[in-house]
Amino acid sequence: MKKLSWLILVFALMQSCASKKLVVPVGNYTGELPCADCPGIMYSLSLNKDRTYSESSTYLDREDGTFRNSGTFEIVNDTIVHLKDKDQHEGLKQFVIKNNQLVILDIYGNPIESGYADWYILNKSEKAAQQIDLSGKWILTQMNTTTVEGENAPYIEFQLDANRFSGFGGCNRIGGNFELSGDSIQFGMIMATKMACFDDQYETEFLKTLNEQSWKVKQAKQSLTLSNASGKLTFQRDSGGSN
């Protein structure tokens, strides 16, 4: 009888261990970090289910002060997020998982002990953690205060696996790179064909507005809105697919 009870206990423990799955802290984590020669650094880290990540660091009061990076991560000892693509002694590489927070460790993997220790805590942003679906063809319907309509309406399509986009500016074919981090998207320099057009109703302003800009992304069902201090762009998903 004792032997049977022991076997039942061992079986129960094995089942418990087998059912315990590692929880990946998927979401977007943000915080303002101290900066030696600027007011602060706005830092954002997005962790995805497929163990990929994207991060952005914006140095406040600096022109062109935003830097972005992406790669893969692993979970160490069920408690530490380790960004695998960074150099051994590079900063912002290891984070302790704590409820809905990530606590930044120093370059040696130790807790930061200083008067600024509380600054090195990233909080999960529930709003930014929402999944943004950029798949499909997005047709421009509003550009700042201008309503866009007609067959020359610009559109963009995202190649998510390559972080590239292509599309139509209103006259020329366009393309370039982009980087999505949480609820922000950064476009690189836009390349366009050199066709001469008699009717350039939207293209010049559209390319100037979109080119090398960072935008906040808001998605509601089949609409996509990009906004920043320079303007606002609204797109509608094309239910008919690509041309």
Side-chain angles (χ1 to χ4, degrees):
M1 186 67 181
K2 289 184 179 180
K3 184 176 181 181
L4 179 60
S5 299
W6 172 251
L7 289 174
I8 292 174
L9 177 60
V10 170
F11 179 76
L13 289 173
M14 291 177 63
Q15 287 294 102
S16 176
C17 292
S19 62
K20 184 180 179 181
K21 294 183 179 180
L22 178 63
V23 178
V24 179
V26 173
N28 189 70
Y29 299 81
T30 60
E32 183 176 346
L33 310 182
C35 178
D37 56 357
C38 71
I41 304 170
M42 298 305 298
Y43 179 75
S44 173
L45 175 65
S46 294
L47 303 177
N48 305 311
K49 289 182 179 179
D50 60 357
R51 304 294 179 95
T52 61
Y53 76 88
S54 59
E55 64 177 349
S56 67
S57 301
T58 299
Y59 289 73
L60 302 179
D61 289 351
R62 285 189 189 177
E63 292 186 8
D64 302 324
T66 298
F67 303 91
R68 290 177 171 79
N69 183 45
S70 60
T72 59
F73 70 90
E74 62 182 352
I75 307 297
V76 180
N77 296 330
D78 293 353
T79 58
I80 296 176
V81 174
H82 172 239
L83 307 186
K84 298 169 62 177
D85 306 80
K86 293 193 171 184
D87 294 336
Q88 181 178 358
H89 296 305
E90 189 174 349
L92 298 172
K93 180 182 178 71
Q94 297 187 78
F95 310 80
V96 175
I97 303 168
K98 184 180 179 182
N99 298 325
N100 285 326
Q101 295 178 326
L102 294 179
V103 181
I104 302 171
L105 300 178
D106 66 16
I107 59 175
Y108 303 106
N110 300 317
I112 296 174
E113 297 179 353
S114 72
Y116 292 98
D118 290 343
W119 286 53
Y120 292 94
I121 297 176
L122 306 179
N123 294 297
K124 187 174 184 179
S125 171
E126 295 299 335
K127 182 178 180 181
Q130 295 177 358
Q131 294 296 315
I132 296 172
D133 180 14
L134 296 179
S135 61
K137 176 180 177 180
W138 295 93
I139 301 173
L140 185 67
T141 58
Q142 189 83 20
M143 181 165 50
N144 299 320
T145 59
T146 302
T147 299
V148 178
E149 53 190 1
E151 59 183 25
N152 288 332
Y155 66 81
I156 52 178
E157 297 178 273
F158 296 93
Q159 290 81 55
L160 303 178
D161 56 342
N163 282 353
R164 292 189 59 81
F165 69 93
S166 59
F168 176 65
C171 171
N172 287 279
R173 294 287 177 179
I174 62 173
N177 298 319
F178 75 92
E179 191 72 40
L180 181 67
S181 177
D183 62 348
S184 298
I185 189 170
Q186 168 78 39
F187 290 93
M189 181 177 292
I190 297 177
M191 307 299 290
T193 56
K194 301 295 184 180
M195 292 178 59
C197 303
F198 295 103
D199 183 11
D200 185 7
Q201 186 177 3
Y202 304 118
E203 182 167 285
T204 300
E205 183 180 356
F206 177 62
L207 297 187
K208 181 180 178 180
T209 302
L210 194 66
N211 192 49
E212 295 189 286
Q213 292 261 25
S214 180
W215 303 83
K216 284 293 183 183
V217 182
K218 183 177 181 181
Q219 189 172 22
K221 296 183 179 179
Q222 300 301 307
S223 68
L224 182 72
T225 301
L226 309 181
S227 59
N228 61 17
S230 302
K232 181 178 178 181
L233 301 172
T234 302
F235 299 84
Q236 190 75 21
R237 194 196 300 269
D238 179 25
S239 58
S242 305
N243 289 338

Coordinates of all heavy atoms in Angstrom, one line a residue, residues 103-169:
V103 N 12.9 44.7 -14.8 CA 13.9 45.4 -14.1 C 15.3 45.3 -14.8 O 15.7 44.2 -15.0 CB 14.0 45.0 -12.7 CG1 15.1 45.8 -11.9 CG2 12.7 45.1 -12.0
I104 N 15.9 46.4 -15.3 CA 17.1 46.4 -16.0 C 18.3 46.0 -15.1 O 18.4 46.5 -14.1 CB 17.3 47.7 -16.7 CG1 16.1 48.1 -17.6 CG2 18.6 47.7 -17.5 CD1 16.2 49.5 -18.1
L105 N 19.1 45.1 -15.6 CA 20.3 44.7 -14.9 C 21.5 45.4 -15.6 O 21.4 45.9 -16.7 CB 20.6 43.2 -15.0 CG 19.5 42.3 -14.4 CD1 19.8 40.8 -14.6 CD2 19.3 42.6 -12.9
D106 N 22.7 45.5 -14.8 CA 23.8 46.2 -15.4 C 24.5 45.3 -16.4 O 24.1 44.2 -16.7 CB 24.8 46.7 -14.3 CG 25.4 45.5 -13.5 OD1 25.4 44.4 -14.0 OD2 25.9 45.8 -12.4
I107 N 25.6 45.8 -17.0 CA 26.3 45.0 -18.0 C 26.9 43.7 -17.6 O 27.2 42.8 -18.4 CB 27.5 45.9 -18.7 CG1 28.5 46.2 -17.6 CG2 26.9 47.1 -19.3 CD1 29.7 47.0 -18.2
Y108 N 27.0 43.5 -16.2 CA 27.5 42.2 -15.7 C 26.3 41.3 -15.3 O 26.6 40.2 -14.7 CB 28.4 42.5 -14.6 CG 29.6 43.4 -15.0 CD1 29.6 44.7 -14.5 CD2 30.6 42.9 -15.8 CE1 30.7 45.5 -14.9 CE2 31.7 43.7 -16.1 CZ 31.7 45.0 -15.7 OH 32.8 45.9 -16.1
G109 N 25.1 41.7 -15.5 CA 24.0 40.9 -15.1 C 23.6 41.1 -13.6 O 22.9 40.2 -13.0
N110 N 24.0 42.2 -13.0 CA 23.7 42.4 -11.5 C 22.7 43.5 -11.4 O 22.6 44.4 -12.3 CB 25.0 42.8 -10.8 CG 26.1 41.8 -10.8 OD1 25.8 40.6 -10.7 ND2 27.3 42.2 -11.1
P111 N 22.0 43.6 -10.3 CA 21.0 44.7 -10.1 C 21.7 46.0 -10.0 O 22.9 46.1 -9.5 CB 20.4 44.3 -8.7 CG 20.6 42.8 -8.5 CD 21.9 42.5 -9.2
I112 N 21.1 47.0 -10.5 CA 21.7 48.4 -10.5 C 21.4 49.0 -9.1 O 20.3 49.1 -8.7 CB 21.1 49.2 -11.6 CG1 21.4 48.7 -12.9 CG2 21.5 50.7 -11.5 CD1 20.8 49.4 -14.1
E113 N 22.5 49.3 -8.4 CA 22.4 49.9 -7.0 C 22.9 51.3 -7.1 O 24.1 51.5 -7.0 CB 23.1 49.0 -6.0 CG 22.6 47.6 -5.9 CD 23.3 46.7 -5.0 OE1 24.4 47.2 -4.5 OE2 22.9 45.6 -4.7
S114 N 22.0 52.3 -7.2 CA 22.4 53.7 -7.2 C 21.2 54.5 -6.8 O 20.1 53.9 -6.6 CB 23.0 54.1 -8.5 OG 22.0 54.2 -9.5
G115 N 21.4 55.8 -6.7 CA 20.3 56.7 -6.5 C 19.2 56.7 -7.6 O 18.1 57.2 -7.4
Y116 N 19.6 56.2 -8.8 CA 18.7 56.2 -9.9 C 18.2 54.8 -10.2 O 17.6 54.5 -11.3 CB 19.5 56.6 -11.2 CG 19.9 58.1 -11.2 CD1 21.2 58.4 -10.8 CD2 19.0 59.1 -11.5 CE1 21.5 59.8 -10.8 CE2 19.3 60.4 -11.5 CZ 20.6 60.8 -11.1 OH 21.0 62.1 -11.1
A117 N 18.3 53.9 -9.2 CA 17.8 52.5 -9.4 C 16.4 52.4 -9.8 O 16.0 51.6 -10.7 CB 18.1 51.7 -8.1
D118 N 15.5 53.3 -9.3 CA 14.1 53.2 -9.6 C 13.8 53.6 -11.1 O 12.7 53.4 -11.6 CB 13.3 54.2 -8.7 CG 13.2 53.6 -7.2 OD1 13.5 52.4 -7.1 OD2 12.9 54.4 -6.3
W119 N 14.8 54.3 -11.7 CA 14.6 54.7 -13.1 C 14.8 53.5 -14.1 O 14.4 53.6 -15.2 CB 15.7 55.8 -13.5 CG 15.4 57.1 -12.9 CD1 15.1 57.5 -11.6 CD2 15.3 58.4 -13.7 NE1 15.0 58.8 -11.5 CE2 15.1 59.4 -12.7 CE3 15.5 58.7 -15.0 CZ2 15.0 60.7 -13.1 CZ3 15.4 60.0 -15.4 CH2 15.1 61.0 -14.4
Y120 N 15.4 52.5 -13.6 CA 15.7 51.3 -14.4 C 14.7 50.2 -14.3 O 15.0 49.0 -14.3 CB 17.1 50.7 -14.1 CG 18.2 51.7 -14.5 CD1 18.7 52.6 -13.5 CD2 18.8 51.7 -15.7 CE1 19.8 53.5 -13.8 CE2 19.8 52.6 -16.1 CZ 20.3 53.5 -15.1 OH 21.3 54.3 -15.5
I121 N 13.4 50.7 -14.3 CA 12.3 49.7 -14.2 C 11.4 50.1 -15.4 O 10.9 51.2 -15.6 CB 11.5 49.9 -12.9 CG1 12.4 49.4 -11.7 CG2 10.3 49.0 -12.9 CD1 11.7 49.6 -10.4
L122 N 11.1 49.1 -16.2 CA 10.2 49.3 -17.4 C 8.8 48.7 -17.0 O 8.7 47.6 -16.5 CB 10.7 48.5 -18.6 CG 12.2 48.8 -19.0 CD1 12.5 48.0 -20.2 CD2 12.3 50.3 -19.3
N123 N 7.8 49.5 -17.3 CA 6.4 49.1 -17.0 C 5.7 48.6 -18.3 O 5.9 49.2 -19.4 CB 5.6 50.3 -16.4 CG 6.2 50.6 -15.0 OD1 6.1 49.8 -14.1 ND2 6.7 51.8 -14.9
K124 N 4.9 47.6 -18.2 CA 4.2 47.1 -19.3 C 3.1 48.0 -19.7 O 2.3 48.5 -18.9 CB 3.6 45.7 -19.0 CG 3.0 45.0 -20.2 CD 2.6 43.6 -19.9 CE 2.1 42.8 -21.1 NZ 1.7 41.4 -20.8
S125 N 3.0 48.3 -21.0 CA 2.0 49.2 -21.5 C 0.9 48.3 -22.2 O 1.2 47.8 -23.2 CB 2.5 50.2 -22.5 OG 1.5 50.9 -23.2
E126 N -0.3 48.2 -21.6 CA -1.3 47.4 -22.1 C -1.8 47.9 -23.5 O -2.1 47.1 -24.4 CB -2.5 47.3 -21.1 CG -2.2 46.7 -19.8 CD -1.8 45.2 -20.0 OE1 -2.1 44.6 -21.0 OE2 -1.0 44.7 -19.1
K127 N -1.9 49.2 -23.6 CA -2.3 49.7 -24.9 C -1.3 49.4 -26.0 O -1.7 49.0 -27.1 CB -2.5 51.2 -24.8 CG -3.1 51.9 -26.1 CD -3.3 53.4 -25.9 CE -3.8 54.0 -27.1 NZ -4.0 55.5 -27.0
A128 N 0.0 49.6 -25.7 CA 1.0 49.4 -26.8 C 1.2 47.9 -27.1 O 1.6 47.6 -28.1 CB 2.3 50.0 -26.3
A129 N 0.7 47.1 -26.1 CA 0.9 45.6 -26.3 C -0.1 45.0 -27.3 O 0.1 43.9 -27.7 CB 0.8 44.9 -25.0
Q130 N -1.1 45.8 -27.6 CA -2.1 45.3 -28.6 C -1.4 45.0 -29.9 O -0.5 45.8 -30.4 CB -3.2 46.3 -28.8 CG -4.0 46.5 -27.5 CD -5.1 47.6 -27.7 OE1 -5.1 48.2 -28.7 NE2 -5.8 47.8 -26.7
Q131 N -1.8 43.9 -30.5 CA -1.1 43.5 -31.8 C -1.6 44.4 -32.9 O -2.8 44.7 -33.1 CB -1.5 42.1 -32.1 CG -0.8 41.1 -31.1 CD 0.7 41.1 -31.2 OE1 1.3 41.2 -32.3 NE2 1.3 41.2 -30.0
I132 N -0.7 45.0 -33.7 CA -1.0 45.8 -34.9 C -0.9 44.9 -36.1 O 0.2 44.4 -36.4 CB -0.1 47.0 -34.9 CG1 -0.4 47.9 -33.7 CG2 -0.4 47.8 -36.2 CD1 0.6 49.1 -33.6
D133 N -1.9 44.9 -36.9 CA -1.9 44.0 -38.1 C -1.8 44.9 -39.3 O -2.7 45.6 -39.8 CB -3.3 43.2 -38.2 CG -3.3 42.4 -39.4 OD1 -2.3 42.1 -40.0 OD2 -4.4 41.9 -39.7
L134 N -0.6 44.9 -39.9 CA -0.3 45.7 -41.1 C -0.4 45.0 -42.4 O -0.1 45.5 -43.4 CB 1.1 46.3 -41.0 CG 1.4 47.2 -39.8 CD1 2.9 47.7 -39.9 CD2 0.5 48.5 -39.9
S135 N -0.9 43.7 -42.3 CA -1.0 42.9 -43.5 C -2.0 43.5 -44.5 O -3.0 44.2 -44.1 CB -1.3 41.5 -43.2 OG -2.6 41.5 -42.6
G136 N -1.8 43.3 -45.8 CA -2.7 43.8 -46.8 C -2.3 45.1 -47.5 O -1.2 45.6 -47.3
K137 N -3.2 45.7 -48.2 CA -2.9 46.9 -49.0 C -3.7 48.0 -48.3 O -4.9 47.9 -48.0 CB -3.4 46.7 -50.4 CG -3.3 48.0 -51.3 CD -3.8 47.6 -52.7 CE -3.8 48.8 -53.6 NZ -4.3 48.4 -55.0
W138 N -3.0 49.2 -48.0 CA -3.6 50.3 -47.3 C -3.7 51.5 -48.2 O -2.6 52.0 -48.6 CB -2.8 50.6 -46.0 CG -2.8 49.5 -45.0 CD1 -1.9 48.4 -44.9 CD2 -3.8 49.3 -44.0 NE1 -2.3 47.6 -43.9 CE2 -3.4 48.1 -43.3 CE3 -4.9 49.9 -43.7 CZ2 -4.1 47.6 -42.3 CZ3 -5.7 49.4 -42.6 CH2 -5.3 48.3 -41.9
I139 N -4.9 52.0 -48.5 CA -5.1 53.1 -49.4 C -5.3 54.4 -48.6 O -6.1 54.4 -47.6 CB -6.3 52.8 -50.3 CG1 -6.2 51.5 -51.1 CG2 -6.6 54.0 -51.2 CD1 -7.4 51.1 -51.8
L140 N -4.6 55.4 -49.0 CA -4.6 56.7 -48.3 C -6.0 57.3 -48.5 O -6.4 57.5 -49.7 CB -3.5 57.6 -48.8 CG -3.4 58.9 -48.1 CD1 -2.9 58.7 -46.6 CD2 -2.4 59.8 -48.8
T141 N -6.7 57.7 -47.4 CA -8.0 58.4 -47.6 C -8.0 59.8 -47.0 O -8.8 60.6 -47.4 CB -9.1 57.6 -46.8 OG1 -8.7 57.5 -45.4 CG2 -9.2 56.2 -47.4
Q142 N -7.0 60.1 -46.1 CA -6.9 61.5 -45.6 C -5.4 61.8 -45.3 O -4.7 61.0 -44.8 CB -7.7 61.5 -44.2 CG -7.8 62.9 -43.6 CD -9.0 63.7 -44.3 OE1 -9.9 63.1 -44.8 NE2 -9.0 65.0 -44.2
M143 N -5.0 63.0 -45.8 CA -3.6 63.5 -45.6 C -3.7 64.8 -44.9 O -4.1 65.8 -45.6 CB -2.9 63.5 -46.9 CG -1.5 63.9 -46.8 SD -0.5 63.5 -48.3 CE -1.5 64.1 -49.6
N144 N -3.4 64.9 -43.7 CA -3.6 66.1 -42.9 C -5.1 66.6 -43.0 O -6.0 65.9 -42.6 CB -2.6 67.2 -43.3 CG -1.2 66.8 -43.1 OD1 -0.9 66.1 -42.1 ND2 -0.3 67.0 -44.1
T145 N -5.4 67.7 -43.6 CA -6.7 68.2 -43.8 C -7.3 67.9 -45.2 O -8.5 68.2 -45.4 CB -6.8 69.7 -43.5 OG1 -6.0 70.4 -44.5 CG2 -6.4 70.0 -42.1
T146 N -6.5 67.2 -46.0 CA -7.0 66.9 -47.4 C -7.6 65.5 -47.5 O -7.0 64.5 -47.1 CB -5.8 67.0 -48.3 OG1 -5.2 68.3 -48.3 CG2 -6.3 66.7 -49.8
T147 N -8.8 65.4 -48.0 CA -9.4 64.2 -48.3 C -8.9 63.6 -49.6 O -8.8 64.3 -50.6 CB -11.0 64.3 -48.4 OG1 -11.5 64.8 -47.2 CG2 -11.6 63.0 -48.8
V148 N -8.4 62.4 -49.6 CA -7.8 61.8 -50.8 C -8.8 60.8 -51.4 O -9.4 59.9 -50.7 CB -6.5 61.0 -50.4 CG1 -5.9 60.3 -51.6 CG2 -5.5 62.0 -49.7
E149 N -9.0 60.9 -52.7 CA -9.9 60.0 -53.4 C -9.5 59.9 -54.9 O -8.6 60.7 -55.4 CB -11.3 60.6 -53.3 CG -11.5 62.0 -53.8 CD -12.9 62.6 -53.4 OE1 -13.7 61.9 -52.8 OE2 -13.1 63.8 -53.8
G150 N -10.1 59.0 -55.6 CA -9.8 58.8 -57.0 C -8.8 57.6 -57.2 O -8.2 57.1 -56.3
E151 N -8.6 57.3 -58.5 CA -7.7 56.2 -58.8 C -6.3 56.5 -58.6 O -5.4 55.6 -58.6 CB -8.0 55.8 -60.3 CG -7.7 56.9 -61.3 CD -8.0 56.5 -62.7 OE1 -8.9 55.5 -62.9 OE2 -7.4 57.0 -63.6
N152 N -5.9 57.8 -58.4 CA -4.5 58.1 -58.1 C -4.2 58.2 -56.6 O -3.2 58.8 -56.2 CB -4.2 59.5 -58.8 CG -4.1 59.4 -60.3 OD1 -3.7 58.3 -60.8 ND2 -4.4 60.4 -61.0
A153 N -5.1 57.7 -55.8 CA -4.8 57.7 -54.4 C -3.6 56.9 -54.0 O -3.5 55.7 -54.5 CB -6.1 57.2 -53.6
P154 N -2.7 57.4 -53.3 CA -1.5 56.6 -52.9 C -1.9 55.4 -52.0 O -2.9 55.4 -51.3 CB -0.6 57.6 -52.1 CG -1.1 58.9 -52.5 CD -2.5 58.8 -52.8
Y155 N -1.0 54.4 -52.0 CA -1.2 53.2 -51.1 C 0.1 52.6 -50.7 O 1.1 52.8 -51.4 CB -2.2 52.2 -51.7 CG -1.6 51.5 -53.0 CD1 -0.7 50.4 -52.8 CD2 -2.0 51.9 -54.2 CE1 -0.2 49.7 -53.9 CE2 -1.5 51.2 -55.4 CZ -0.6 50.2 -55.2 OH -0.1 49.5 -56.3
I156 N 0.1 51.9 -49.7 CA 1.3 51.2 -49.2 C 1.0 49.7 -48.9 O -0.2 49.4 -48.4 CB 2.0 51.9 -48.1 CG1 1.1 52.1 -46.9 CG2 2.7 53.2 -48.5 CD1 1.7 52.8 -45.7
E157 N 1.9 48.8 -49.0 CA 1.8 47.4 -48.6 C 3.1 47.1 -47.9 O 4.2 47.4 -48.3 CB 1.7 46.5 -49.8 CG 0.4 46.8 -50.6 CD 0.3 45.9 -51.9 OE1 0.8 46.3 -52.9 OE2 -0.3 44.8 -51.7
F158 N 2.9 46.3 -46.7 CA 4.0 46.0 -45.9 C 4.5 44.6 -46.1 O 3.6 43.7 -46.1 CB 3.6 46.2 -44.4 CG 3.3 47.6 -44.1 CD1 2.0 48.1 -44.1 CD2 4.3 48.5 -43.7 CE1 1.7 49.4 -43.8 CE2 4.1 49.8 -43.3 CZ 2.7 50.3 -43.4
Q159 N 5.8 44.4 -46.3 CA 6.3 43.0 -46.3 C 6.9 42.8 -44.9 O 8.1 43.2 -44.6 CB 7.4 42.9 -47.3 CG 6.9 42.9 -48.8 CD 6.7 44.3 -49.3 OE1 7.5 45.1 -49.3 NE2 5.5 44.5 -49.8
L160 N 6.1 42.2 -44.0 CA 6.4 42.2 -42.6 C 7.7 41.3 -42.3 O 8.4 41.6 -41.3 CB 5.2 41.6 -41.8 CG 3.9 42.4 -42.0 CD1 2.8 41.7 -41.2 CD2 4.1 43.8 -41.6
D161 N 7.9 40.3 -43.0 CA 9.0 39.4 -42.7 C 10.4 40.0 -43.1 O 11.4 39.6 -42.6 CB 8.9 38.1 -43.5 CG 8.8 38.2 -45.0 OD1 8.4 39.3 -45.4 OD2 9.0 37.2 -45.7
A162 N 10.3 41.1 -43.9 CA 11.6 41.7 -44.4 C 11.7 43.2 -43.9 O 12.7 43.9 -44.2 CB 11.7 41.7 -45.9
N163 N 10.7 43.6 -43.1 CA 10.6 45.0 -42.7 C 10.8 46.0 -43.8 O 11.5 47.0 -43.7 CB 11.7 45.3 -41.6 CG 11.3 44.8 -40.2 OD1 10.2 44.3 -40.0 ND2 12.3 44.8 -39.3
R164 N 10.1 45.7 -44.9 CA 10.1 46.6 -46.1 C 8.6 46.9 -46.5 O 7.7 46.1 -46.1 CB 10.8 45.9 -47.3 CG 12.3 45.8 -47.0 CD 13.0 45.4 -48.3 NE 12.8 46.3 -49.4 CZ 13.5 47.5 -49.6 NH1 14.4 47.8 -48.7 NH2 13.2 48.2 -50.6
F165 N 8.4 48.0 -47.2 CA 7.1 48.3 -47.7 C 7.3 48.7 -49.2 O 8.4 49.1 -49.7 CB 6.5 49.5 -46.9 CG 7.2 50.8 -47.1 CD1 6.7 51.7 -48.1 CD2 8.2 51.2 -46.3 CE1 7.3 52.9 -48.3 CE2 8.9 52.4 -46.5 CZ 8.4 53.3 -47.4
S166 N 6.2 48.6 -49.9 CA 6.2 49.1 -51.3 C 4.8 49.7 -51.5 O 3.9 49.7 -50.7 CB 6.4 47.9 -52.3 OG 5.4 46.9 -52.1
G167 N 4.6 50.3 -52.7 CA 3.3 50.9 -53.0 C 3.3 51.9 -54.1 O 4.1 51.8 -55.0
F168 N 2.4 52.8 -54.1 CA 2.2 53.8 -55.1 C 2.0 55.2 -54.5 O 1.2 55.3 -53.6 CB 0.9 53.3 -55.9 CG 0.5 54.3 -57.0 CD1 1.2 54.5 -58.1 CD2 -0.8 55.0 -56.9 CE1 0.8 55.3 -59.1 CE2 -1.2 55.8 -57.9 CZ -0.4 56.0 -59.0
G169 N 2.7 56.1 -55.1 CA 2.7 57.5 -54.5 C 1.6 58.4 -55.1 O 1.4 59.5 -54.5

